[in-house]
Amino acid sequence: MIGVFHRIEWFVGLVLVQVLILNQMHIYGYATPFLYIYFILKMNSKIGRNESMIWAFLLGLAVDVFGNTPGMNAAAATCLAFFRPSLLRLVTLRSLDEAFRPSVKSLGVSSFFRYSLLASGLFCTLLLMIDTLSFFQWEKLLLKIISSTVSTVVLIFCAESIGRKKS
């Protein structure tokens, strides 16, 4: 039961940070960090795909409601949650049968970096392609995807280092 309350605290906190601070930041007009996907990435590996997709949908929907983006974040976050077990299998040598919480401590720096880079790249690609709905300015779209992915990974590692110092 404590785990559910802890998850809800993270949910609310990350939605507030995303909506109130990060959605207002557009670094050089291109990069927008999406820290709220950290919630999806940090879910225990034993959580089923359906449960993680429900949490991701609700998370994306909350960001959509407060950010006035009609379903874009919900769609991209749900897709990320769907592919999360596959991404974990790609970067880890562990069997997903044993329960672990993806982190720098449990995966190692390089594996967690690859995991967060692949997940952020997938999420940013989906979200920005849904947002653009066009390939007329594909160079600008590619620059937005790359810069948003990099800024998201940097913030994920900042959050991860803060979490490690607290423990």
Side-chain angles (χ1 to χ4, degrees):
M1 195 67 172
I2 293 174
V4 173
F5 289 124
H6 183 69
R7 216 180 286 170
I8 290 172
E9 287 174 353
W10 269 98
F11 184 97
V12 171
L14 287 173
V15 167
L16 289 175
V17 167
Q18 184 66 44
V19 171
L20 297 175
I21 299 169
L22 298 177
N23 280 355
Q24 313 311 318
M25 291 176 49
H26 302 289
I27 305 165
Y28 296 111
Y30 291 100
T32 303
F34 299 103
L35 181 61
Y36 75 95
I37 67 169
Y38 184 65
F39 180 85
I40 300 166
L41 299 181
K42 291 292 285 188
M43 286 184 185
N44 193 322
S45 65
K46 271 299 211 193
I47 291 178
R49 185 173 277 176
N50 291 338
E51 184 182 352
S52 66
M53 287 174 63
I54 290 170
W55 277 103
F57 175 77
L58 293 174
L59 181 68
L61 187 64
V63 172
D64 284 332
V65 166
F66 293 113
N68 200 22
T69 52
M72 297 183 329
N73 289 288
T78 305
C79 285
L80 175 60
F82 178 79
F83 288 111
R84 189 181 71 91
S86 302
L87 294 174
L88 274 173
R89 261 188 249 108
L90 264 175
V91 300
T92 187
L93 298 175
R94 291 178 167 197
S95 166
L96 291 184
D97 293 337
E98 61 180 276
F100 68 95
R101 194 176 154 115
S103 66
V104 169
K105 187 176 180 180
S106 66
L107 294 177
V109 175
S110 65
S111 291
F112 188 76
F113 176 75
R114 285 193 312 262
Y115 172 58
S116 60
L117 183 67
L118 287 171
S120 299
L122 174 67
F123 176 81
C124 290
T125 301
L126 290 169
L127 181 67
L128 294 171
M129 286 180 75
I130 291 169
D131 184 35
T132 304
L133 284 177
S134 167
F135 290 111
F136 286 114
Q137 295 179 336
W138 64 270
E139 299 94 355
K140 188 175 178 180
L141 175 63
L142 188 62
L143 186 60
K144 280 184 175 185
I145 290 169
I146 292 170
S147 60
S148 293
T149 300
V150 168
S151 63
T152 301
V153 169
V154 167
L155 278 183
I156 286 172
F157 268 85
C158 290
E160 188 69 16
S161 69
I162 290 170
R164 266 192 319 190
K165 288 180 182 175
K166 284 176 66 177
S167 318

